[in-house]
Amino acid sequence: MQDNDIRKILEEVKTIALVGASDNPGRPSYGVMAYLLSQGYEVIPVSPKLAGKELLGQKAYGSLAEIPHPVDMVDVFRNVDAAYGVAQEAIAIRAKVLWLQLDIINEQAAVLAKEAGLKVVMDRCPKIEIPRLGMEK
């Protein structure tokens, strides 16, 4: 994916479901969630362990299907094997973007999501891409 495509995605996205959210400040998902909130995105933590609780002031849900409003992007902090199932869930909730974090490369998930009309970003992190593209607020 080209820089212009990533920039456009990050400009258009308003609501991000962060799958694999953690309440451990030492985990990458926690830091990325905090950063995305600081950049003005609405970030919804998704984790069965945190369902019904709050993380960084945001209500957590156990699955994408439980989120009661539309989601623009699904940011995935799960292992490679889980990515396909998350892609299926992202399609089911009509997300526009499937974003697989650093070191998460699942071609089957990418093909599935693209065929359903989603934009797909793999092996990248928005916390790195936003400042790299000069988009930081």
Side-chain angles (χ1 to χ4, degrees):
M1 183 159 282
Q2 302 298 316
D3 284 356
N4 286 344
D5 298 322
I6 293 172
R7 180 187 312 278
K8 190 168 192 231
I9 287 169
L10 292 169
E11 287 171 349
E12 292 175 354
V13 161
K14 303 291 181 242
T15 304
I16 301 170
L18 197 139
V19 177
S22 173
D23 56 1
N24 177 346
R27 302 287 301 170
S29 62
Y30 185 96
V32 170
M33 182 175 168
Y35 178 79
L36 291 172
L37 287 167
S38 80
Q39 294 300 302
Y41 294 99
E42 177 186 358
V43 185
I44 303 156
V46 179
S47 166
K49 184 180 110 177
L50 300 176
K53 298 178 185 172
E54 279 201 2
L55 179 62
L56 296 169
Q58 309 302 308
K59 183 177 178 185
Y61 294 89
S63 70
L64 291 174
E66 294 172 30
I67 300 170
H69 53 79
V71 169
D72 297 320
M73 183 169 101
V74 175
D75 188 5
V76 184
F77 279 90
R78 299 279 316 277
N79 65 39
V80 172
D81 296 334
Y84 191 86
V86 176
Q88 291 175 311
E89 292 178 45
I91 293 163
I93 67 162
R94 295 186 163 86
K96 298 177 183 104
V97 179
L98 178 68
W99 188 299
L100 303 180
Q101 277 291 333
L102 294 173
D103 299 323
I104 303 175
I105 301 170
N106 185 316
E107 294 297 338
Q108 292 86 359
V111 167
L112 180 73
K114 285 177 186 172
E115 287 178 351
L118 280 75
K119 295 176 183 163
V120 178
V121 181
M122 277 195 298
D123 194 25
R124 293 187 186 241
C125 177
K127 186 179 176 187
I128 294 169
E129 298 301 316
I130 290 168
R132 186 181 73 76
L133 296 170
M135 299 174 66
E136 213 162 26
K137 293 183 174 144

